[in-house]
């Protein structure tokens, strides 16, 4: 085994760029049993989705307070603020995604979390619609950057046989944050607990405080050994993996032998030129690009359009008071978390393509059914929420599988940027337009127009079901390098 050699400045020794090295890093990581190390990685890194769920839910469930003086938001302002958050997320994903592949995963998941906690705390100091939207933009930028750095890191540290379930559960943990945000809105919008004019501000301050705690938790997370090896830091990659293996052997676990057939020769590189990125996306992996776009656009429109405006629907059509919206979002969040948790293992056993087709397809059918119930006005707010629980049980697993797909079907060197690109396009087309469109449809007060919006979401999900089911990648149980060979492979 190689050992770490320190350079003159105390930094890990780096092989000459362009040199071919032989590595078994991937095989050693994939052979590890599931253990405490993986749980800690999920907690420290996967918390990103909890924060995103918290942010989105707070913005939605605090609508009632924001519509009161001094903020005095209109329905359009609510949709505008949601879209600013998503535009920020797109911008952050692209910028930080490029940096993540270039300078490493670990540096970026500290930078992006720091940006998030500063911006979300600043949101609590907003004094008008414009300042609120600006701070939401930067909060979204931090979260968007987190998506790229964290998704790539987790994929590269988790064994292949459980990669699907792990990814779905982590992405589904968005709804733990949603539940937390709902509960906070219930408490902080009660006049007997705190002045409503201050309650929504305290909610955003709390998000910043949570981010600070997570920042401290991440100090022990290592850099991705796969990234280190391809960028010339073979000795450092070996040191990191040896440290991970020692965690298991110290607990009395006997590790299986390394499969030498999985060794790989890679040519070290300092970065990947953008021309090579475009060639990989649109020439070498153009079919995977088509699948990723279809899945991301559909789920982004579906989720952001419906969830960002759900509070508006409750208030406009069911006369639910703003300080009671959280009670309806709690069961909504529960169903959405249970979907990835219970269905996730099927993506590793039954298969990626089959489960993508099923979850996207059934979500489309159920969305139309629930939309018709809403149009006919045959259920009240409780019945409508129960129906949404069923829809999002499947839709949440579908949305999570989109992130799984784009983060495992592209080469290591462009993984973070690929995640960023698909997230940006999907969110730009579906996520930004969705809340603005639905905000306008809800504002009309017409159930027919809202049903029309549901129909658009269902059509997109159905198209994605066909595309993913027919042309998706059967990546279950396969090493990342077997799914998509690194660009640096020699």
């Amino acid at each position: 085994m190689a050992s770490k050699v320190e350079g003159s400045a105390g930094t890990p020794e780096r092989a000459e760029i362009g040199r071919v090295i032989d590595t078994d890093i991937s095989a050693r990581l994939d052979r590890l049993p599931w253990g405490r190390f993986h749980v800690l990685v999920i907690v420290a890194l996967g918390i990103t989705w909890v924060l995103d769920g918290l942010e989105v839910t707070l913005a939605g469930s605090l609508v009632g307070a924001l519509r009161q003086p001094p903020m005095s938001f209109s329905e359009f302002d609510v949709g505008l603020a949601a879209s600013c958050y998503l535009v920020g997320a797109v911008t952050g994903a692209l910028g930080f995604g490029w940096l993540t592949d270039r300078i490493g995963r670990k540096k970026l998941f500290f930078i992006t979390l720091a940006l998030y906690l500063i911006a979300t705390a600043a949101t609590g100091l907003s004094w008008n619609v414009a300042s609120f939207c600006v701070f939401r933009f930067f909060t979204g930028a931090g979260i968007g950057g987190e998506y790229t750095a964290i998704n790539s890191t987790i994929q590269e540290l988790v064994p292949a046989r459980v990669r699907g379930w792990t990814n779905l559960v982590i992405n589904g943990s968005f709804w733990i944050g949603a539940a937390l945000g709902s509960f906070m809105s219930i408490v902080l919008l009660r006049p007997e607990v705190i002045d409503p004019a201050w309650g929504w501000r305290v909610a955003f301050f709390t998000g910043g405080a949570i981010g600070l705690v997570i920042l401290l938790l991440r100090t022990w997370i290592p850099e991705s050994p796969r990234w280190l090896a391809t960028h010339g830091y073979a000795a450092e990659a070996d040191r990191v993996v040896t440290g991970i293996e020692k965690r298991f052997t110290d607990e009395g676990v006997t590790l299986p032998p390394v499969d030498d057939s999985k060794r790989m020769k890679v040519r070290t590189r300092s970065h990947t030129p953008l021309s090579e990125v475009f060639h990989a996306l649109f020439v070498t992996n153009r079919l995977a690009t088509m699948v990723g776009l279809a899945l991301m656009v559909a789920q982004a429109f579906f989720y952001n359009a419906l969830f960002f405006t759900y509070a508006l629907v409750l208030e406009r059509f069911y006369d639910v008071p703003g300080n009671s919206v959280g009670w309806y979002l709690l069961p909504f969040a529960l169903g959405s978390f249970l979907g990835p948790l219970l269905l996730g293992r099927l993506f590793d056993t039954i298969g990626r393509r089959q489960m993508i087709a099923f979850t996207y397809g059934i979500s489309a059918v159920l969305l139309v059914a629930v939309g018709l119930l809403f149009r006919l006005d045959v259920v009240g707010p409780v019945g409508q929420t129960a129906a949404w629980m069923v829809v999002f049980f499947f839709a949440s697993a579908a949305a999570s599988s989109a992130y799984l797909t784009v983060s495992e079907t592209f080469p290591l060197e462009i993984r973070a940027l690929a995640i960023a690109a698909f997230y940006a396009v999907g969110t730009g087309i579906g996520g930004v337009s969705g809340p603005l469109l639905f905000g306008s449809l809800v504002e009309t007060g017409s159930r027919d127009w809202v049903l029309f919006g549901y129909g658009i979401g269902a059509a997109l999900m159905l198209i994605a079901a066909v595309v993913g089911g027919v042309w998706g990648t059967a990546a279950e149980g396969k090493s990342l390098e077997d799914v998509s060979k690194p660009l640096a492979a020699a």
Side-chain angles (χ1 to χ4, degrees):
M1 294 290 181
S3 58
K4 178 182 177 182
V5 179
E6 298 294 333
S8 59
T11 56
E13 182 186 41
R14 187 175 195 174
E16 180 183 355
I17 299 302
R19 175 184 172 188
V20 175
I21 62 173
D22 185 274
T23 177
D24 62 356
I25 292 298
S26 299
R28 291 164 66 189
L29 288 170
D30 281 337
R31 91 191 201 281
L32 293 174
W34 183 263
R36 183 170 175 267
F37 167 77
H38 300 109
V39 174
L40 292 175
V41 167
I42 288 174
V43 171
L45 297 182
I47 200 73
T48 294
W49 286 264
V50 176
L51 291 176
D52 192 18
L54 174 67
E55 286 298 318
V56 171
T57 309
L58 284 178
S61 57
L62 296 177
V63 165
L66 292 172
R67 291 172 66 181
Q68 303 302 315
M71 302 304 281
S72 302
F73 275 34
S74 66
E75 280 87 349
F76 177 81
D77 293 332
V78 173
L80 177 63
S83 292
C84 284
Y85 175 84
L86 292 171
V87 170
V90 168
T91 305
L94 288 172
F96 290 124
W98 177 76
L99 285 173
T100 298
D101 282 330
R102 195 176 183 93
I103 68 175
R105 287 36 171 151
K106 184 167 184 173
K107 291 185 181 73
L108 265 296
F109 62 62
F110 276 106
I111 294 171
T112 53
L113 183 60
L115 174 60
Y116 159 79
L117 68 89
I118 292 171
T120 194
T123 303
L125 301 175
S126 302
W127 56 92
N128 57 20
V129 174
S131 62
F132 186 90
C133 288
V134 169
F135 293 138
R136 293 302 288 166
F137 171 87
F138 285 107
T139 302
I143 289 293
E146 283 272 288
Y147 275 140
T148 61
I150 302 309
N151 256 316
S152 51
T153 304
I154 290 174
Q155 290 284 46
E156 292 161 15
L157 289 175
V158 172
R161 63 187 176 280
V162 293
R163 194 171 60 240
W165 176 77
T166 303
N167 191 279
L168 260 71
V169 170
I170 289 173
N171 280 279
S173 66
F174 171 98
W175 296 102
I176 297 177
L180 177 61
S182 298
F183 179 75
M184 287 173 59
S185 70
I186 292 169
V187 175
L188 296 176
L189 292 182
R190 296 183 70 85
E192 60 269 28
V193 176
I194 189 172
D195 184 345
W198 281 96
W200 67 270
R201 297 182 186 273
V202 173
F204 286 113
F205 294 153
T206 304
I210 294 173
L212 182 60
V213 173
I214 298 164
L215 198 66
L216 299 176
L217 285 176
R218 289 185 177 176
T219 55
W220 65 272
I221 300 292
E223 178 59 88
S224 165
R226 284 175 156 107
W227 183 90
L228 287 169
T230 58
H231 285 75
Y233 301 105
E236 178 68 4
D238 175 75
R239 186 193 68 79
V240 171
V241 176
T242 299
I244 295 171
E245 291 169 334
K246 189 174 184 299
R247 289 174 174 269
F248 288 89
T249 56
D250 286 349
E251 295 173 1
V253 177
T254 301
L255 298 178
V258 179
D259 184 353
D260 284 335
S261 68
K262 298 293 185 180
R263 295 185 70 90
M264 178 172 287
K265 295 183 187 300
V266 296
R267 191 179 302 276
T268 60
R269 53 173 60 196
S270 61
H271 68 284
T272 300
L274 288 177
S275 60
E276 196 171 352
V277 173
F278 283 105
H279 187 271
L281 287 174
F282 301 112
V283 178
T284 311
N285 300 281
R286 59 181 176 273
L287 190 59
T289 296
M290 178 191 71
V291 173
L293 285 175
L295 298 182
M296 291 297 285
V297 169
Q299 68 84 27
F301 183 93
F302 185 99
Y303 251 98
N304 292 304
L306 301 181
F307 189 64
F308 268 118
T309 56
Y310 187 58
L312 292 178
V313 170
L314 290 172
E315 292 183 32
R316 168 74 69 164
F317 295 99
Y318 295 104
D319 298 320
V320 174
N323 60 4
S324 297
V325 166
W327 290 116
Y328 295 91
L329 294 179
L330 279 172
F332 192 107
L334 176 62
S336 296
F337 177 65
L338 288 177
L341 180 66
L342 300 179
L343 298 176
R345 291 199 181 277
L346 301 180
F347 284 79
D348 286 319
T349 55
I350 293 177
R352 303 285 203 263
R353 289 201 301 259
Q354 296 90 329
M355 289 303 299
I356 287 173
F358 171 70
T359 53
Y360 271 84
I362 193 67
S363 298
V365 172
L366 291 174
L367 175 58
V368 171
V370 173
L372 289 173
L373 291 177
F374 170 78
R375 166 62 184 83
L376 297 173
D377 195 14
V378 295
V379 294
V382 174
Q384 187 70 29
T385 299
W388 282 123
M389 283 182 65
V390 177
V391 174
F392 279 83
F393 176 85
F394 296 101
S396 181
S400 297
S401 72
Y403 288 96
L404 168 65
T405 299
V406 300
S407 60
E408 70 180 357
T409 54
F410 292 92
L412 179 144
E413 296 87 346
I414 66 169
R415 179 165 294 122
L417 189 54
I419 295 169
F422 286 104
Y423 175 78
V425 174
T427 303
I429 296 175
V432 175
S433 61
L436 284 174
L437 172 63
F438 266 73
S440 300
L441 294 178
V442 171
E443 199 168 12
T444 66
S446 168
R447 290 177 181 264
D448 287 323
W449 279 114
V450 176
L451 176 60
F452 172 73
Y454 292 156
I456 296 175
L460 290 174
M461 293 293 280
L462 194 58
I463 292 170
V466 174
V467 172
V470 176
W471 293 289
T473 301
E476 56 274 7
K478 296 179 181 178
S479 169
L480 289 172
E481 289 71 21
D482 290 333
V483 176
S484 186
K485 182 184 294 186
L487 298 177

